[in-house]
Amino acid sequence: MSSAQLVSRELYGGALRANVPKRFDDVSKFRQVPDHQEVFADAESDQSIIVELNQLVEVDDQKAPMYYLEDLLETMDAQNVQIIRCGTLEAQQMPNLKPEYVKCYAIAQCEVSKFREQACNAIQIFLGVVRLKEVGTDLVIHVNAPVSFSPESSSSGRTVINAEQTQELVNGVLQSLSISD
């Protein structure tokens, strides 16, 4: 299951664009999605891509990814959280964005239950933040990728995408992300 079949998707009515694998569905077509989010999901693998426009938070630039990650982990009632890595994204990783934008990320692995089930699945989360200070906005991108499914989970039997393919997915989104001026 390669993420090679990418399609350019308009986000927020064309204000942003990003490449998303063709196999990912626009979640807003079958359930309500908040106006500040664009959500895409792959039913076969339970992977998801979420792009959010949030009010700029008053934290140091390098702490912004952890701020959003901690909020996400709390919302998901995540257990056994391991922070894998935090850092800065280089200009070549997001070539369509202005070099002066602060671009940073955090990667974590944790266990979460789907639909508040008892069974927990292990997932990896990539969370990137682009700080658009001139408009008071944080652009937050998170890719959620299951690492393993509990046999008791409603997702049991779904395809687990390997780490290399997940990294391809993340890179594809980041490298293609653009903002219309």
Side-chain angles (χ1 to χ4, degrees):
M1 167 139 342
S2 172
S3 60
Q5 292 184 333
L6 298 173
V7 292
S8 180
R9 306 272 182 123
E10 283 190 352
L11 309 174
Y12 305 101
L16 299 160
R17 290 193 82 78
N19 289 345
V20 175
K22 191 175 184 177
R23 70 181 191 271
F24 279 66
D25 294 317
D26 180 344
V27 173
S28 68
K29 291 182 179 176
F30 48 89
R31 78 171 166 91
Q32 191 167 359
V33 172
D35 289 343
H36 75 287
Q37 291 183 340
E38 296 279 351
V39 181
F40 301 93
D42 176 24
E44 189 176 320
S45 67
D46 262 5
Q47 286 183 311
S48 63
I49 301 167
I50 302 170
V51 179
E52 297 182 354
L53 294 175
N54 295 313
Q55 184 173 340
L56 189 79
V57 293
E58 301 279 336
V59 298
D60 291 338
D61 290 341
Q62 296 305 315
K63 292 183 181 179
M66 284 305 299
Y67 173 87
Y68 288 108
L69 182 61
E70 288 169 359
D71 183 59
L72 178 63
L73 293 167
E74 183 178 321
T75 301
M76 295 188 316
D77 291 327
Q79 301 171 23
N80 300 321
V81 176
Q82 298 173 348
I83 304 303
I84 297 171
R85 187 169 52 252
C86 298
T88 301
L89 292 162
E90 302 300 324
Q92 69 269 18
Q93 291 174 284
M94 300 186 88
N96 300 316
L97 299 183
K98 294 178 183 177
E100 62 267 21
Y101 291 156
V102 175
K103 301 173 269 303
C104 39
Y105 72 94
I107 301 173
Q109 188 163 316
C110 61
E111 293 178 357
V112 296
S113 62
K114 187 172 183 178
F115 308 124
R116 306 290 183 212
E117 297 172 336
Q118 291 295 317
C120 285
N121 301 317
I123 67 168
Q124 189 171 82
I125 301 167
F126 170 89
L127 188 138
V129 178
V130 179
R131 309 216 74 196
L132 308 172
K133 294 179 181 182
E134 71 277 3
V135 292
T137 301
D138 280 330
L139 170 58
V140 180
I141 304 119
H142 43 101
V143 175
N144 302 314
V147 175
S148 65
F149 296 110
S150 168
E152 291 83 36
S153 170
S154 61
S155 294
S156 178
R158 297 223 169 123
T159 304
V160 174
I161 304 300
N162 70 40
E164 183 177 297
Q165 290 170 317
T166 297
Q167 190 61 54
E168 273 183 46
L169 170 62
V170 170
N171 291 345
V173 173
L174 296 179
Q175 290 172 353
S176 66
L177 186 68
S178 64
I179 300 173
S180 300
D181 290 326

